[in-house]
Amino acid sequence: MPELPEVETTVRGLAPVLEGRRIARVTLRRPDLRRPMPEDLGQRLTGARVVALGRRAKYGLIDTDRGDTMIFHLGMSGRWRVDPGEMLTHDHLVLETEAGRMLALNDPRRFGSVDLVETARIAAWPAFAALGPEPLGPQFTAAHLAGAFAGRSAPVKALLLDQRIVAGLGNIYVCEALHMAGIAPTRAGGRIGEARLAQLVLAIRAVLAAAIEAGGSTLRDYARPDGELGYFSKQWRVYGREGEPCLCGAPVRRRVDGGRSTFYCAKCQR
């Protein structure tokens, strides 16, 4: 599933095509993805000018001058294709701008979603209402984690994947950040001191920044809007590297928790 860096990379790739442009035509080539798309999507977007693009957690945001925000989620395999030469079977939503540019939302598995919400009420939208702070934002601090983890016996990895504590973190980048910070994924969150939490915050920020710079990680069908693949997978420290040597020389280990693989180094991470 595309995670925060993949969504951020997607939004940045869409901005030069959409920002400041008026949407001239909206074509729904099917009525639903994971759930039905808004019936009035075409009516509310056609003629609207895109004033900003952004991201919240793993959702992309397209703000218009009509006070509406189109919210998209890429699901398991979704991606936007810029100026496609031809329509593909799984191009389900097509936006055309006044400048003649075209964007097609392609989603073979149809686990993604498209919603339209009043911009002024976006913070109260059900999927956003309970989200924690953005990991790249100023509210994500060691003090925030200390407060969220206080008295908790749950493993730190599970706590970081809790979207109510921090928004947008996924399995790959939590594994990578915990390794960078030298913290065992099974350590109880409530037993990690604030100094180590400060290191963890820095590690999370560093891993996400590097992944965004590399265009995300290539997983299954994910590609950037320009069609290029993300290359952060070439920088993975532990994820997907079971049995291979860690930077310290010890073998990377793998365990399964709640159906998810956790990769770590028993020597480096305590």
Side-chain angles (χ1 to χ4, degrees), residues 22-23 42-49 51 63-69 118-119:
R22 196 173 297 280
I23 299 173
Q43 177 183 350
R44 290 167 67 182
L45 287 184
T46 301
R49 188 178 298 279
V51 295
D63 298 340
T64 74
D65 62 354
R66 292 182 177 173
D68 293 322
T69 295
E118 289 184 42
T119 306

Side-chain angles (χ1 to χ4, degrees), residues 1-14 58 72-81 105-109 172-173 211-233 236:
M1 177 182 293
E3 295 189 18
L4 185 156
E6 287 77 39
V7 180
E8 181 69 28
T9 299
T10 294
V11 168
R12 294 184 184 187
L14 296 179
K58 299 176 187 178
F72 66 85
H73 193 286
L74 297 174
M76 294 292 293
S77 58
R79 67 186 181 97
W80 286 95
R81 303 198 305 130
L105 180 58
N106 184 281
D107 189 353
R109 293 183 177 88
I172 295 174
Y173 301 106
I212 292 168
E213 180 66 25
S217 299
T218 300
L219 286 176
R220 297 184 181 177
D221 304 316
Y222 172 72
R224 296 182 294 187
D226 61 5
E228 290 295 317
L229 299 176
Y231 291 101
F232 186 67
S233 58
W236 285 347

Side-chain angles (χ1 to χ4, degrees), residues 70-204:
M70 191 180 92
I71 304 173
F72 66 85
H73 193 286
L74 297 174
M76 294 292 293
S77 58
R79 67 186 181 97
W80 286 95
R81 303 198 305 130
V82 177
D83 296 328
E86 61 178 348
M87 288 291 102
L88 301 180
T89 301
H90 299 295
D91 288 337
H92 303 310
L93 171 65
V94 181
L95 305 180
E96 298 176 59
T97 73
E98 60 182 353
R101 306 295 299 274
M102 181 181 294
L103 293 166
L105 180 58
N106 184 281
D107 189 353
R109 293 183 177 88
R110 300 203 307 274
F111 285 140
S113 62
V114 172
D115 294 278
L116 199 60
V117 178
E118 289 184 42
T119 306
R121 300 183 180 181
I122 200 167
W125 189 56
F128 291 172
L131 287 178
E134 289 288 323
L136 294 175
Q139 295 179 325
F140 182 60
T141 62
H144 167 73
L145 286 184
F149 290 0
R152 304 288 295 273
S153 60
V156 61
K157 186 193 173 195
L159 293 173
L160 290 174
L161 290 174
D162 185 338
Q163 301 296 292
R164 296 168 298 180
I165 292 176
V166 54
L169 290 185
N171 196 40
I172 295 174
Y173 301 106
V174 169
C175 286
E176 292 291 291
L178 286 170
H179 181 265
M180 182 180 288
I183 298 174
T186 54
R187 177 171 287 276
R191 300 192 64 182
I192 303 174
E194 194 160 336
R196 296 196 75 193
L197 291 177
Q199 294 176 336
L200 178 57
V201 167
L202 291 176
I204 289 170

